[in-house]
Amino acid sequence: YIRDIGYFIISIIILLYRKNRYAVQLAQIILGLVFIFAALNKIFDPHELILIIKSYKIVPDVIASISGYLLPWLELLIALSLLLGIIPRLGALGIILFHFMFIPAITYRMINEAGRTSASIFQVSFDCGCGLGENLAWILIIRDIGYVIMGFIVLHAADVWDFFSFIKLKKL
């Protein structure tokens, strides 16, 4: 849990230094590594992810099955986009859009689980599907908000690492 809060604090620091080239690149690397880890965990076991998506009880089983196979590959593309600097702003937009799905889904499941078990929302924990196993839901939400903030930093940064710009500079 401390690691997740640490990521959130790092994202706030990066927000304060949005114009700092190294802070933006750090955000790019962190997001890329997080998403590549998440993707690789799910690519090799899509059936586990499908079961987790179904446990949210938000989408029909057919959508859960399609998502279970498609989501990890999209996450891998986003991660590679950020890490390799190939259209990194599009990768950052992908991070933001994914988490605009994940945060409400986690919140919805957290509220339902709290109601079902008569537990406080701060006590609800489950496997969100990110590849890290069971975590407290409110920590997952804070972590994902941090990822959204880092995504916006990369998306709107003055100086983001971009492979094609790097190649142009080398030719000069």
Side-chain angles (χ1 to χ4, degrees):
Y1 303 123
I2 292 172
R3 178 192 68 236
D4 293 334
I5 293 171
Y7 287 146
F8 182 72
I9 291 169
I10 288 171
S11 70
I12 296 300
I13 291 168
I14 291 171
L15 178 64
L16 297 174
Y17 296 99
R18 182 174 96 59
K19 294 185 190 243
N20 182 320
R21 177 173 76 136
Y22 300 111
V24 172
Q25 290 171 357
L26 178 63
Q28 205 173 330
I29 291 167
I30 289 171
L31 290 172
L33 290 175
V34 165
F35 256 52
I36 208 161
F37 172 79
L40 292 177
N41 274 333
K42 293 180 246 185
I43 284 173
F44 299 114
D45 192 6
H47 300 292
E48 178 68 25
L49 179 60
I50 291 167
L51 292 175
I52 291 170
I53 294 170
K54 286 179 180 180
S55 72
Y56 279 84
K57 298 178 179 140
I58 295 175
V59 296
D61 289 352
V62 136
I63 302 292
S65 295
I66 292 169
S67 299
Y69 286 102
L70 188 60
L71 219 79
W73 291 102
L74 290 173
E75 288 176 340
L76 183 63
L77 286 174
I78 288 169
L80 292 175
S81 166
L82 290 164
L83 290 173
L84 299 177
I86 300 172
I87 318 171
R89 293 182 201 281
L90 185 60
L93 181 61
I95 295 276
I96 293 164
L97 293 176
F98 268 42
H99 286 90
F100 279 171
M101 277 188 322
F102 296 160
I103 293 169
I106 292 168
T107 304
Y108 176 82
R109 184 169 176 196
M110 177 181 67
I111 291 168
N112 282 344
E113 293 283 329
R116 188 179 60 76
T117 61
S118 299
S120 162
I121 59 170
F122 296 107
Q123 296 172 323
V124 174
S125 65
F126 51 82
D127 186 348
C128 68
C130 65
L132 295 175
E134 192 168 305
N135 286 293
L136 288 170
W138 68 273
I139 296 287
L140 296 171
I141 293 167
I142 290 172
R143 178 201 64 194
D144 286 358
I145 290 170
Y147 293 156
V148 169
I149 291 168
M150 285 193 282
F152 273 113
I153 289 168
V154 174
L155 186 65
H156 295 290
D159 188 14
V160 66
W161 188 80
D162 182 341
F163 179 74
F164 296 110
S165 298
F166 179 73
I167 295 296
K168 288 177 193 171
L169 289 174
K170 288 291 184 186
K171 287 183 180 178
L172 297 177

